[in-house]
Amino acid sequence: MDKERKVEKDINKTAILIVAVIVLVLVIGGGLYYILHQQRQMDELVQGYELDKEMLSDEYNELSLQYEGYKFSVSNDSLVALLTTEQAKVQRLQEELRTVRATDTQRINELKKELETLRNIMRDFVIQIDSLNRENEQLKTENKQVVAQYRRATNEAANLQREKEELTERVTMASRLDATAISVIPTNKRGKEVKRIRQMEQLVVNFSIAKNITAPVGEKTIYVRIMKPDDDVLAKSRSDVFSFEGKDINYSMKRTIEYDGEETPLTLYWDIEEFLSPGTYLLDVFADGNHIGRKSFALSQ
């Protein structure tokens, strides 16, 4: 009987031990499960912090690039300086963010608030930049209008100047004297017209200064220039010159008259004292620095 009780007692102890072991295993297992579950939640939370930090870093970088872009889109030096200062703040906070632990949620949240403040500042800059751009566009439009008006005024002034010059030229042309009815008559010593050079004693040059009411009246010096077939000029002295087109050239004869705007006949005489060769001679008439008439004539042997 005592033996049975002993066996039963041993069985009860064993059962109790088994139950205790099972309970212990369950407790340990539950504890491990809880620990692993908490660790997994912690890992997920840390990953979330890291992702949040990474996104915040991207936002800071994007804001810095925006500042950089706007610096090149404005020409206002003061505004560029302000943009540069604010960009430096962004870069400083971005560098701080890089060194902050992802689990430091307090500082991360502070950096988020800083980012929002910097974005608000950026919005103010954008408003200023847009306003400046609009003003610049308006100024460009006004400048184009001013340039167009200036060009029109310049063209009008140039046209008026050309018209004035043309009018002046027409008036000048109209006021020029004109030698008409030019003739050259070779004569002998008795004043009779002859044909042969050996009989000639004198060349009688006749022409008229035509009527011109637009020409200035007063004293006029008329120059006559006779050129031989060899292009040499008949002249009594090589010092007999007058100015024409900026050069001093020889003349054969000259006459000073009082011109009153009416037709004025003239006769000039050339005494033949040199050898004349047969051929075609050219006679030109000048007055007031202008070439006013021409006549060619031939002399025979």
Side-chain angles (χ1 to χ4, degrees):
M1 190 70 177
D2 291 335
K3 186 176 181 180
E4 289 177 358
R5 287 179 179 171
K6 186 179 179 180
V7 170
E8 184 180 351
K9 189 177 182 178
D10 291 339
I11 292 172
N12 289 336
K13 288 182 179 180
T14 301
I16 291 170
L17 182 61
I18 292 172
V19 171
V21 170
I22 292 173
V23 171
L24 182 61
V25 169
L26 290 174
V27 169
I28 293 173
L32 289 173
Y33 174 80
Y34 177 79
I35 292 171
L36 292 173
H37 179 71
Q38 290 295 319
Q39 184 64 43
R40 186 163 55 249
Q41 287 184 330
M42 183 61 70
D43 291 342
E44 291 175 355
L45 188 60
V46 170
Q47 288 177 1
Y49 290 153
E50 291 287 352
L51 181 60
D52 193 26
K53 177 183 174 181
E54 185 177 344
M55 293 174 61
L56 186 60
S57 178
D58 290 341
E59 291 177 9
Y60 267 102
N61 187 59
E62 181 182 355
L63 186 61
S64 178
L65 292 176
Q66 288 177 355
Y67 273 108
E68 186 69 22
Y70 278 118
K71 281 165 54 179
F72 291 100
S73 66
V74 295
S75 55
N76 186 292
D77 292 339
S78 298
L79 190 54
V80 170
L82 290 174
L83 287 168
T84 302
T85 300
E86 292 303 317
Q87 185 186 22
K89 290 181 182 178
V90 173
Q91 292 172 341
R92 177 176 56 78
L93 292 173
Q94 187 178 11
E95 180 61 24
E96 182 182 349
L97 176 62
R98 189 180 66 81
T99 60
V100 170
R101 294 195 307 273
T103 55
D104 189 351
T105 56
Q106 181 180 352
R107 187 52 186 156
I108 295 294
N109 289 331
E110 290 173 352
L111 290 172
K112 285 182 179 180
K113 291 179 181 179
E114 292 278 2
L115 177 64
E116 189 59 33
T117 300
L118 292 170
R119 279 177 173 165
N120 290 332
I121 295 173
M122 169 60 80
R123 293 189 190 98
D124 292 337
F125 280 129
V126 170
I127 293 173
Q128 293 183 53
I129 291 169
D130 289 343
S131 177
L132 286 174
N133 287 339
R134 284 194 298 271
E135 291 177 3
N136 287 338
E137 288 300 322
Q138 183 177 355
L139 288 174
K140 287 179 182 178
T141 302
E142 293 174 356
N143 184 55
K144 288 180 181 178
Q145 293 173 349
V146 170
V147 170
Q149 292 173 354
Y150 172 77
R151 288 177 178 172
R152 284 196 297 270
T154 302
N155 291 335
E156 290 174 2
N159 291 334
L160 289 174
Q161 182 62 28
R162 282 195 297 270
E163 291 175 3
K164 180 181 178 182
E165 291 173 355
E166 290 172 359
L167 180 61
T168 302
E169 185 177 355
R170 287 196 295 269
V171 170
T172 302
M173 291 292 293
S175 64
R176 286 176 56 178
L177 300 179
D178 187 23
T180 62
I182 301 173
S183 67
V184 180
I185 302 173
T187 62
N188 58 20
K189 59 185 177 180
R190 292 190 300 273
K192 300 294 183 179
E193 183 176 356
V194 292
K195 301 294 184 182
R196 298 184 181 278
I197 292 176
R198 63 176 180 271
Q199 300 172 330
M200 297 175 186
E201 295 289 335
Q202 199 172 55
L203 296 177
V204 182
V205 179
N206 297 297
F207 58 91
S208 292
I209 303 299
K211 178 179 179 179
N212 190 337
I213 61 174
T214 63
V217 298
E219 190 176 88
K220 306 285 184 183
T221 299
I222 312 299
Y223 296 94
V224 175
R225 192 169 189 261
I226 301 173
M227 186 174 290
K228 298 191 294 185
D230 61 0
D231 293 336
D232 189 22
V233 178
L234 293 177
K236 296 304 181 183
S237 171
R238 291 305 168 187
S239 63
D240 291 341
V241 296
F242 68 102
S243 180
F244 178 68
E245 294 183 347
K247 296 180 181 179
D248 289 335
I249 61 175
N250 285 110
Y251 64 85
S252 305
M253 299 171 284
K254 71 175 182 177
R255 174 75 59 82
T256 299
I257 64 171
E258 190 68 27
Y259 183 69
D260 59 2
E262 297 296 328
E263 182 175 354
T264 305
L266 288 173
T267 299
L268 290 84
Y269 302 93
W270 175 261
D271 293 328
I272 301 174
E273 299 172 346
E274 60 280 292
F275 171 77
L276 296 181
S277 60
T280 300
Y281 288 69
L282 191 63
L283 182 144
D284 291 289
V285 184
F286 300 85
D288 297 333
N290 298 313
H291 181 236
I292 64 172
R294 170 170 284 186
K295 175 72 175 181
S296 64
F297 62 96
L299 298 182
S300 302
Q301 184 66 46

